[in-house]
């Protein structure tokens, strides 16, 4: 069963809005971040097709808008299921794009606007929603196809582990 992203766009936007708000509203004592996060840019696509959606949540910066596309394109060109595989913050190459093979489809989600590991966590939640599966299954899929994921996801007491429900 193939997913038509354009048909699901409004539901995906609403879900991603809830996830952004959930993550961004965590207290400073839990989510230590010195930057004010104004929004995220989301790109979901089936590479090499027109099955794609591109949308903002709240008010992402121009940088976030650009980097959401850059991460996805870089991962696709490098044949990586995770942009973390080639991340290099000094060279302005960030994590935040992941792809999964499900239902005979390869779908990639790329998010920018939060800390890199948070962008990835939002992507995991987004793909889990799109494919009606668990974040744990998305993480297994990414890793089984050679993609790196943030170590924080697997630290039992880390807020992103809890956000993803991995334990």
């Amino acid at each position: 069963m193939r997913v038509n992203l354009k048909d699901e766009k409004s539901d995906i936007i609403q879900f991603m809005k809830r996830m952004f708000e959930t993550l961004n509203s965590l207290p400073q004592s839990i989510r230590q971040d010195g930057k004010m996060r104004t929004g995220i840019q989301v790109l979901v696509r089936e590479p090499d097709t027109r099955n794609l959606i591109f949308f903002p949540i709240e008010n992402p910066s121009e940088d976030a808008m650009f980097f959401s596309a850059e991460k996805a394109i870089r991962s696709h060109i490098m044949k990586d299921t995770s942009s973390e595989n080639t991340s290099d913050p000094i060279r302005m190459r960030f994590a935040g794009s992941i792809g999964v093979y499900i239902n005979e489809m390869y779908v990639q989600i790329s998010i920018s606007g939060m800390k890199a590991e948070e962008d990835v966590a939002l992507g995991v939640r987004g793909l889990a929603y799109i494919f009606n599966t668990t974040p744990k299954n998305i993480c297994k899929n990414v890793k089984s196809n050679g993609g790196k994921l943030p170590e924080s996801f697997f630290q039992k007491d880390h807020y992103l582990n809890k956000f993803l429900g991995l334990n």
Side-chain angles (χ1 to χ4, degrees):
M1 182 180 132
R2 301 186 66 73
V3 176
N4 184 322
L5 296 168
K6 290 181 184 352
D7 288 349
E8 304 296 324
K9 184 176 181 177
S10 63
D11 291 339
I12 294 168
I13 289 172
Q14 290 309 308
F15 179 79
M16 294 307 297
K17 182 175 172 50
R18 284 194 311 274
M19 292 301 99
F20 169 75
E21 290 169 351
T22 298
L23 196 54
N24 201 37
S25 68
L26 289 174
Q28 178 72 17
S29 60
I30 294 172
R31 186 183 161 268
Q32 298 175 358
D33 187 5
K35 284 178 83 176
M36 175 69 154
R37 304 297 174 158
T38 60
I40 58 174
Q41 184 69 37
V42 181
L43 169 62
V44 186
R45 72 187 192 131
E46 181 181 8
D48 304 321
T49 74
R50 290 185 184 262
N51 189 17
L52 66 91
I53 54 177
F54 186 66
F55 58 89
I57 299 293
E58 302 295 332
N59 297 303
S61 67
E62 285 185 4
D63 290 349
M65 288 183 232
F66 169 78
F67 284 120
S68 67
E70 186 277 333
K71 295 171 189 183
I73 292 165
R74 174 170 34 95
S75 300
H76 183 61
I77 289 170
M78 302 299 286
K79 297 182 183 358
D80 287 326
T81 56
S82 172
S83 63
E84 189 158 333
N85 290 19
T86 57
S87 73
D88 182 351
I90 293 169
R91 296 176 68 199
M92 302 301 286
R93 294 179 181 170
F94 302 104
S97 172
I98 57 172
V100 293
Y101 295 91
I102 297 179
N103 298 336
E104 300 177 21
M105 290 181 75
Y106 179 69
V107 174
Q108 187 180 46
I109 190 168
S110 187
I111 298 176
S112 191
M114 303 288 280
K115 295 189 290 185
E117 63 186 355
E118 294 171 338
D119 288 341
V120 178
L122 287 165
V124 168
R125 291 298 302 260
L127 287 172
Y129 177 80
I130 290 165
F131 285 108
N132 193 28
T133 190
T134 65
K136 186 178 250 179
N137 285 339
I138 297 299
C139 289
K140 283 181 185 178
N141 190 300
V142 171
K143 289 184 80 159
S144 71
N145 287 292
K148 293 180 184 177
L149 293 170
E151 291 297 320
S152 58
F153 287 13
F154 309 103
Q155 296 169 355
K156 192 173 185 178
D157 293 328
H158 197 279
Y159 72 98
L160 291 176
N161 176 281
K162 293 175 184 173
F163 175 73
L164 294 170
L166 294 179
N167 281 332

